[in-house]
Amino acid sequence: MANIHEELILVDVEAENYEEVIRKVGKTLFDNGYVKDTYIDAVVGREAEFPTGLHLDGIDIAMPHTAGVHVNIPAVCVAKLAKPVVFSHMGDPDTKVDATLIFMMAIKNPDEQIDTLQAVMGVFTNKEAIAELNAAKTKDELFSVAKKYIK
Amino acid sequence: MAKHVKIACVCGSGTVSSSMAAAKLRDKLKEHGYDVEAVECSPISASTTLGAGGFSLIACVSPLNEDFGVPKVNAVGLLTGMGEDKVYEECLKILDAEK
């Protein structure tokens, strides 16, 4: 099942803080019917308690998500921010990352979507993929890179 | 024959990131002769999960402050790819010591 959709690829997302990022990117998932109206608040709440920022080799990212009950259709929303936004690190909330790329995960059942999770994780650990994601400037470019690595 | 071991994988929601870590641990530790039964949980459900007993180690993607008397390994490296080998080394050190 394809989890990357053109309508879920965003570039130049303007936001001042992580909550604004989640609300803006989450709205795209909601407006397109992928998640329920409870999703955005649930993700914001979870991010405050258990942050999802990650410092990767070559880029800082965040992968906000929440429980499957808030999801209609599994998908991954890939968003490039207009400027870096501070997220706390997943492994240590006292560490901050300057995220420029967001993988907002709408996962309904992790066991069934394990291929998607592994594909996303494969991107995190793939230097070439990170370089291509960094280089992608337009929506078309970001869509083709995301499609290439997350099937 | 592969040795069966139980590993608790802890992340914030007890689903997404812990499933990512669990998938990697299952694959990698299999190469070292371990048949990993990974149980995903959140820091909140950890006491219930670990209460079942029989766990060899806890792989943490989110911080887990409580002490359950089971060795903890910081598994964030599995997601970032940085320090990934160190995570496997630490896990294997704990599992091999059980033999």
Side-chain angles (χ1 to χ4, degrees):
Chain A
M1 185 176 174
N3 289 286
I4 293 291
H5 305 273
E6 196 169 4
E7 69 266 27
L8 301 181
I9 302 292
L10 306 172
V11 291
D12 295 325
V13 175
E14 299 269 358
E16 294 302 320
N17 54 53
Y18 79 83
E19 182 169 346
E20 209 179 332
V21 170
I22 291 172
R23 294 205 179 273
K24 281 197 173 172
V25 179
K27 191 176 180 302
T28 304
L29 280 162
F30 175 68
D31 288 347
N32 286 286
Y34 289 91
V35 297
K36 302 193 170 103
D37 59 359
T38 53
Y39 176 84
I40 293 173
D41 283 341
V43 177
V44 169
R46 190 200 177 279
E47 190 69 35
E49 200 175 359
F50 301 112
T52 66
L54 286 172
H55 172 65
L56 306 180
D57 193 359
I59 196 172
D60 285 357
I61 62 121
M63 46 169 289
H65 57 272
T66 186
V69 293
H70 306 287
V71 174
N72 290 325
I73 308 161
V76 181
C77 192
V78 183
K80 270 202 129 168
L81 304 180
K83 59 174 196 291
V85 171
V86 175
F87 277 74
S88 294
H89 198 279
M90 192 185 290
D92 170 22
D94 293 335
T95 303
K96 305 295 173 196
V97 307
D98 293 316
T100 52
L101 191 63
I102 304 297
F103 293 85
M104 197 149 175
M105 318 283 291
I107 298 295
K108 201 169 176 130
N109 180 333
D111 292 332
E112 283 170 23
Q113 276 104 55
I114 193 71
D115 291 348
T116 305
L117 297 181
Q118 283 184 303
V120 172
M121 197 166 48
V123 170
F124 293 173
T125 56
N126 181 339
K127 271 189 191 177
E128 216 168 280
I130 294 295
E132 285 181 45
L133 287 165
N134 267 330
K137 296 279 178 267
T138 65
K139 184 176 163 146
D140 283 352
E141 286 167 1
L142 188 58
F143 181 44
S144 67
V145 178
K147 239 186 344 188
K148 178 174 161 189
Y149 290 101
I150 307 169
K151 296 211 168 60
Chain B
M1 213 183 101
K3 187 182 180 230
H4 179 259
V5 289
K6 261 168 90 177
I7 296 179
C9 292
V10 181
C11 80
S13 62
T15 52
V16 175
S17 347
S18 52
S19 300
M20 287 174 157
K24 278 211 167 171
L25 283 177
R26 264 194 295 267
D27 288 350
K28 189 72 183 182
L29 297 178
K30 199 175 172 184
E31 294 170 18
H32 294 269
Y34 291 101
D35 168 28
V36 174
E37 178 187 346
V39 183
E40 288 112 42
C41 65
S42 72
I44 294 154
S45 66
S47 60
T48 314
T49 302
L50 286 149
F55 286 92
S56 298
L57 67 93
I58 308 172
C60 302
V61 181
S62 293
L64 180 68
N65 298 322
E66 279 168 272
D67 182 10
F68 294 97
V70 175
K72 285 186 270 197
V73 173
N74 181 337
V76 178
L78 299 181
L79 266 59
T80 64
M82 291 188 294
E84 195 173 337
D85 290 340
K86 196 172 151 264
V87 177
Y88 298 132
E89 268 172 40
E90 281 186 46
C91 291
L92 286 167
K93 205 173 150 191
I94 293 164
L95 296 176
D96 290 344
E98 276 192 343
K99 275 182 181 166

